Amino acid sequence: MPKPAWLQNPWRQNPWFESVAVAQERARKRLPKPVYGALVAGSERGQTIEANEDAFAEIGLAPHVVGQQPERVLGTKVFGQDVSLPVLISPTGVQAVHPEGEVAVARAAAARGTIMGLSNFASRSVEDVAATGANTFFQMYWTGDRDTMIQRMQRAHAAGVKGLIATLDWSFSMGRDWGSPEIPEKVDVKTAVRMAPQVITKPGWLWAFGSTGKIPDLTAPNLAPPGGPAPTFFGAYYEWMTTPPPSWDDVAWMRETWSQISGTPFVLKGVSRVDDARRSVDAGVAGISVSNHGGNNLDGTPAAIRMVAPIASAVGDQIDVVMDGGVRRGSDVVKALALGAKAVMIGRAYLWGLAANGQAGVENVLDIMSGGIDSALRGLALGSIADLREEHLLVPEGFHRALGAS
């Protein structure tokens, strides 16, 4: 039975979009300015966030006119998990762009057969997300004391996650030249009144939350103590800021502790140097992500794609190397794999899809990636992503950045 007219969403548009750029534009139009600003903002002058995308455009492809394969294989195995395409969901914090948040993203990941990364700053619990059936990897910052971290690991394991991601590539580099977006401590009546002028102009976003009876959740349920309330985002952020930063011995402890609790893969996210990649191997990790935190860490860090080949050459035969930062299309994925990455992780791209159309929007983004990868393989006359090599690319001289190489 169709819904009565007064219950139908009057702001709904054609849900399908053909590119991540279109998803981003729809997200920009749909979201309140502070919410959209939180998605796109890099640190300081923003040069690294721009460099992440721009560097992909410097790499060309070398297609064949004859010899294309009738079928192409996009699946692979990464961090011990079989995936249908080499595009993984990178963990991102509070997803107030859609009422279902991380649960919608996890369902999309499960539907498309890939890994779901869940942030410990997420707005939905690890139990809710793992219950979707997605291959969920729980992400942790080095925050709180060791007993607290053990409790969080045990909780994630009990929920059924398939691995742990330790994110260390985030510092206090902020001071955005264009100003940081306002993120309230919590959403209450006072906050709603103050921010009403920015929200009321976005009726589609307001309708999405209003029709479910929910308000944006700015707490971090995965950081709640046993039997206690979830801290606010800023409470969680304060805990992280006041925790002494880890040493390599701490990383080894974290990896060993997770191994004893779960026995599933431990991944270190945020590697940008060859020497750090080698230290990661020494610490016993199963994989690393070559990353500059999407341009939200130290501004002026080289584009992530520039650092892939030197790091993959150094350790790619020992552990799985993935990368994240600036991936917007399937051909970007192909370039990363040809340079030695096993897969890529996406963040902003799927958040824009989530904002534009919920779970279906995230699936749309993954389908865009899949279609682009398949098209590039066809043009290169390759039958599998496993066949990709740097020889299939046109890489300009001096493109790579081998930081910390000896």
Side-chain angles (χ1 to χ4, degrees), residues 5-37:
W6 63 274
L7 272 179
Q8 295 179 11
N9 185 349
W11 296 280
R12 186 173 179 82
Q13 60 181 333
N14 178 10
W16 183 83
F17 41 85
E18 64 180 339
S19 70
V20 171
V22 173
Q24 179 180 0
E25 179 60 15
R26 290 193 184 178
R28 185 189 67 80
K29 291 180 178 179
R30 183 179 179 84
L31 297 175
K33 186 176 180 180
V35 179
Y36 179 73

Side-chain angles (χ1 to χ4, degrees), residues 109-294:
R112 293 300 182 266
T114 192
I115 290 173
M116 166 69 185
L118 177 69
S119 172
N120 65 357
F121 282 3
S123 62
R124 299 297 295 267
S125 73
V126 64
E127 291 83 5
D128 287 348
V129 171
T132 64
N135 283 337
T136 303
F137 275 55
F138 186 61
Q139 176 267 347
M140 290 178 59
Y141 292 98
W142 182 264
T143 173
D145 59 29
R146 287 191 173 190
D147 287 341
T148 299
M149 284 185 264
I150 290 172
Q151 177 267 317
R152 291 168 182 164
M153 292 184 203
Q154 290 172 333
R155 178 182 172 184
H157 171 63
V161 305
K162 305 298 185 182
L164 189 75
I165 301 172
T167 298
L168 304 181
D169 63 331
W170 192 23
S171 68
F172 304 120
S173 297
M174 304 295 280
R176 300 179 176 101
D177 289 0
W178 53 92
S180 296
E182 179 185 3
I183 302 176
E185 177 77 12
K186 60 181 177 178
V187 179
D188 53 16
V189 174
K190 182 178 180 180
T191 302
V193 171
R194 187 179 78 254
M195 302 190 75
Q198 299 182 77
V199 174
I200 201 67
T201 60
K202 303 298 181 180
W205 183 81
L206 192 60
W207 175 274
F209 280 93
S211 63
T212 62
K214 298 178 179 179
I215 60 174
D217 189 352
L218 301 183
T219 62
N222 295 311
L223 298 182
T232 65
F233 175 83
F234 287 101
Y237 188 76
Y238 177 79
E239 180 188 79
W240 171 70
M241 289 179 66
T242 55
T243 300
S247 65
W248 280 109
D249 287 341
D250 291 324
V251 173
W253 170 86
M254 195 178 194
R255 195 277 309 163
E256 178 61 27
T257 302
W258 177 251
S259 179
Q260 292 173 359
I261 291 172
S262 173
T264 58
F266 179 93
V267 180
L268 184 61
K269 184 177 182 294
V271 177
S272 61
R273 296 172 58 99
V274 173
D275 50 0
D276 281 350
R278 291 185 174 125
R279 293 292 297 271
S280 300
V281 173
D282 293 341
V285 307
I288 58 174
S289 179
V290 179
S291 169
N292 52 38
H293 212 91

